Amino acid sequence: MDNNKIDEAELTKNIKTLVIKGRYEDALRELEDIDLRKIRQPSILCLAGEVYMGLGKYDQAERVLLRAYERQPGTRRTLDLLTTLYIDKGEYAEAEYYYKEFIGIASKDLHRYILRYRLDKAKGERLSVLIDTLEKLKDYEYIEEWAYELASLYDKSGETQKCIRECDEIVLWFGHGEYVDKAIELKSRVTGESFADVAAREAS
């Protein structure tokens, strides 16, 4: 493929669609004929980095993401990915550095809570610290995946009533889906009731 003729919008759309579907091998094939050393657009470099991260190719991800950072240091997407990359690599000092850069330009972005939580969890922070971060995220925006994570933390910390209440809220807000089923299962385990009994009562 001629790098001079790359349609950034088309490439971004194709790769992003594959990444959303978790089809990282297919996304990588989209990049195979492209000489990333000649790519200057940070958006494409970030997508390439995300593909490499999805395949566990962290060194390659690091190279392209640092290039994207050099091109546009103040891009929240680049900083988000770099923070995530270094969390996954277990390099927490670097993760903290890019996290601070991220919140410096995106202090109201909900991802500040998600990144903080993932970083603290990887570092083995206390449950109370993790709970506090997810409670702040909940106040900012209620997202089913992280609501379930919060319910699980309440369970682990022995806060049974908070766990049950959070499970009830998940069912009430989201109605059905993967995390609703998980919340019902968690509540049934905590209360000692059967999944069927809890599900039937929640549906009534």
Side-chain angles (χ1 to χ4, degrees):
M1 183 181 295
D2 184 352
N3 284 283
N4 293 324
K5 296 181 179 179
I6 291 174
D7 184 328
E8 180 180 350
E10 182 179 353
L11 182 63
T12 299
K13 179 181 178 181
N14 291 344
I15 297 177
K16 193 170 185 178
T17 298
L18 292 170
V19 168
I20 290 171
K21 294 179 179 179
R23 293 168 54 187
Y24 295 106
E25 292 286 356
D26 292 335
L28 182 61
R29 280 192 283 272
E30 291 280 324
L31 296 171
E32 282 181 346
D33 295 327
I34 299 172
D35 186 352
L36 288 173
R37 293 172 300 179
K38 297 180 181 178
I39 296 297
R40 300 171 64 85
Q41 300 97 316
S43 60
I44 295 179
L45 293 171
C46 283
L47 274 175
E50 194 169 0
V51 171
Y52 289 138
M53 287 168 64
L55 294 170
K57 299 178 182 292
Y58 296 126
D59 290 343
Q60 290 165 276
E62 184 176 29
R63 283 196 293 271
V64 295
L65 290 175
L66 288 176
R67 282 187 55 222
Y69 177 77
E70 289 169 3
R71 296 289 301 170
Q72 288 184 346
T75 303
R76 68 178 66 188
R77 181 60 178 153
T78 305
L79 295 170
D80 187 331
L81 287 171
L82 279 168
T83 305
T84 300
L85 170 68
Y86 287 118
I87 292 171
D88 291 346
K89 291 185 71 176
E91 297 179 8
Y92 304 132
E94 288 82 358
E96 287 282 5
Y97 175 84
Y98 289 107
Y99 174 74
K100 289 176 181 177
E101 292 260 313
F102 179 85
I103 61 175
I105 65 165
S107 62
K108 296 183 179 179
D109 192 308
L110 67 88
H111 276 266
R112 72 190 187 278
Y113 297 119
I114 296 171
L115 291 172
R116 183 73 264 166
Y117 174 78
R118 293 196 64 226
L119 180 50
D120 286 342
K121 183 178 181 181
K123 290 166 63 177
E125 276 286 1
R126 301 184 310 278
L127 287 176
S128 60
V129 173
L130 303 180
I131 287 171
D132 180 66
T133 298
L134 289 189
E135 287 178 338
K136 289 176 180 175
L137 173 59
K138 178 182 176 180
D139 289 340
Y140 190 84
E141 186 169 333
Y142 201 43
I143 303 170
E144 54 190 330
E145 174 185 358
W146 298 107
Y148 174 74
E149 186 78 3
L150 178 58
S152 298
L153 291 178
Y154 285 143
D155 177 40
K156 290 176 183 177
S157 66
E159 298 181 83
T160 303
Q161 291 306 311
K162 285 187 176 181
C163 174
I164 293 171
R165 188 160 57 247
E166 193 65 34
C167 290
D168 288 341
E169 285 191 47
I170 292 169
V171 176
L172 177 65
W173 276 90
F174 302 107
H176 63 276
E178 175 187 357
Y179 290 101
V180 169
D181 290 343
K182 286 184 175 182
I184 293 173
E185 183 177 355
L186 175 58
K187 181 179 177 179
S188 68
R189 180 171 59 77
V190 169
T191 62
E193 300 176 88
S194 70
F195 181 94
D197 287 344
V198 173
R201 188 171 62 254
E202 297 291 353
S204 62

